[in-house]
Amino acid sequence: MAVTRRLLMAVVGVLSLLVYLSAAYVGYALLLPVWDSRPSPLIAALVVIVTAIVLGIVNYWAATARLKRSLDAVELSRARVPEVYRRLDTLVDQMDVETPTLLLAELPVPNAFAIGGGAGVIVVDRRLFQLLSATEFEALLAHELAHLETRDALVQTVAYSLVQTVVGLVGLVLFPVVVLTGGLARSFALLRGNPSSWSRSWLGRAQRYALQVVAGLGFAVALLILGYSRRRELAADDRAIEITGNPVGLARALTKIEQASKPDTGLLRQLYVHSEADSELSRLLSTHPPMDERIQRLQESAARSSARVSEASGSRR
C-alpha cells in the first residue's frame, strides 16, 4: 500500500512538473515577441507615469463626484450666512485659492472637510455653527482652504495611483517566478513522496520571499502615503495659523470637535479630523496625526507668538 501510494505521488509529481514546465515554455514563447519589440526604458517609464497620473486624476474626480452625490448636502448661500462668507472672502484674498462652494450636511461627526482643488468644495456639518465661535470657525475654514490651495487630496490620489501602478508592475514581473517556483517545489515534493515538504525547500522559500517582497513593497508605499497625508494635515494647520494669526482659535476648534466626535464615522472616516488609538500601529496607519499632537503644536505656536509680542513690547519700553 505504501509503495502504491509513493508510486502514485511520483506519477502526479512528474505530471505536475510537465504541466508547470510547459506553462513556463508557453509563457516564455508569448513574452519573447513582446520583449523583442519593447520600447526604450525611458519611453516605457514615461508611458507608465503618464498613464498612472491620468488614471489617478480620473479616479479622483470620479470619487469626488460620487462623494458629493452620497452626501445629503445643500449649498449655503451668502444671504443665509453673510458673516461666514465675509470671513471666507477675507481668507481667500490672502491665499492662492478661489472661493469654494460651501455645503451644509448632516455628517456622522461635527466636522468639515475639503474636496476638489482650486474652486473646490468645503463640506461643513450643521452642528459646527452651534459648536464653534466665529473665530474658531474661521480658523477651521482656513485649514480646509489650505488643503484646497495645495490640492492635497488630488496629489495624494495621483501619488497613490502612480505607486500602485509601480507595485503592480513589480508583482506582474514576479508572478511567473512565483508560480513556477511554487509549482516546481510542489512537484519535487511529490516525487520525494513528502508533499508537505515543498514549503521548506529552497524553491518554496524563494516563492515565499518573492511574495513577501511584493507585500512588503506595497505596505511600505502605503506607510509613505499615509505619512505624507499626516504631514499635509500639519502643514494645513501651519498655513491656517499663518493666515489667521490665531493658533488658539484652531486649537479650540479641534478640541471641541474632538470632544463632540463619536468613534463610529462609517465610510467617510478618513475625511474627518479625529483622534486615534494610542498604539504606534494605529498612528502609522492613520491619515491624520493624533489630535493631542496637533493641539499641542498649536498651543506651542500660540506660546511662541505671545513670547514674541512680550519681547517686542519690552524692547519698546
Side-chain angles (χ1 to χ4, degrees), residues 2 50 82 134 156 164 185 190 192 247 291-292 294:
V50 171
Q156 291 176 41
Q164 190 178 41
L190 286 169
R192 291 192 301 270
M291 186 67 81
D292 54 355
R294 295 178 63 187

Side-chain angles (χ1 to χ4, degrees), residues 118-136:
V121 174
I122 295 179
V123 181
V124 298
D125 183 82
R126 62 177 68 252
R127 287 166 290 183
L128 290 179
F129 290 96
Q130 290 77 42
L131 190 65
L132 305 181
S133 68
T135 55
E136 293 165 355

Side-chain angles (χ1 to χ4, degrees), residues 33-276:
V34 177
W35 178 258
D36 290 338
S37 60
R38 70 189 184 279
S40 68
L42 179 59
I43 294 177
L46 288 175
V47 170
V48 170
I49 291 173
V50 171
T51 301
I53 290 175
V54 170
L55 290 176
I57 293 173
V58 171
N59 289 336
Y60 173 75
W61 290 116
T64 299
R66 288 196 302 270
L67 179 59
K68 289 180 181 178
R69 290 194 300 268
S70 70
L71 294 170
D72 184 16
V74 296
E75 184 173 347
L76 276 172
S77 64
R78 287 183 176 271
R80 185 175 178 183
V81 284
E83 177 60 21
V84 170
Y85 272 97
R86 185 189 69 78
R87 292 176 180 270
L88 180 63
D89 290 339
T90 300
L91 294 172
V92 167
D93 289 341
Q94 301 175 71
M95 304 175 72
D96 185 19
V97 64
E98 300 177 29
T99 302
T101 301
L102 292 182
L103 297 182
L104 187 66
E106 291 279 357
L107 302 177
V109 296
N111 215 316
F113 60 86
I115 51 179
V121 174
I122 295 179
V123 181
V124 298
D125 183 82
R126 62 177 68 252
R127 287 166 290 183
L128 290 179
F129 290 96
Q130 290 77 42
L131 190 65
L132 305 181
S133 68
T135 55
E136 293 165 355
F137 194 89
E138 180 183 41
L140 189 63
L141 284 179
H143 173 93
E144 301 305 333
L145 286 173
H147 283 307
L148 293 178
E149 188 177 41
T150 51
R151 292 175 170 82
D152 286 338
L154 176 60
V155 171
Q156 291 176 41
T157 303
V158 171
Y160 179 76
S161 175
L162 180 60
V163 173
Q164 190 178 41
T165 300
V166 173
V167 173
L169 288 175
V170 173
L172 185 62
V173 171
L174 290 179
F175 179 74
V177 178
V178 169
V179 173
L180 182 59
T181 54
L184 293 177
R186 287 176 172 85
S187 299
F188 290 142
L190 286 169
L191 287 173
R192 291 192 301 270
N194 187 5
S196 63
S197 67
W198 74 270
S199 61
R200 297 190 296 273
S201 67
W202 70 271
L203 285 172
R205 291 195 298 271
Q207 183 196 51
R208 185 166 62 252
Y209 293 152
L211 291 173
Q212 289 174 351
V213 166
V214 176
L217 182 60
F219 185 67
V221 165
L223 290 181
L224 288 174
I225 293 175
L226 290 170
Y228 174 79
S229 175
R230 292 192 295 272
R231 288 194 297 272
R232 292 313 308 163
E233 287 299 322
L234 297 178
D237 286 347
D238 293 340
R239 180 62 169 155
I241 294 173
E242 178 186 351
I243 295 300
T244 64
N246 185 18
V248 173
L250 183 56
R252 288 175 177 170
L254 295 180
T255 301
K256 290 180 178 179
I257 289 172
E258 166 69 4
Q259 292 172 348
S261 296
K262 297 180 181 179
D264 183 13
T265 54
L267 295 176
L268 300 178
R269 183 174 184 270
Q270 292 188 352
L271 295 172
Y272 301 137
V273 178
H274 54 81
S275 65
E276 297 287 347

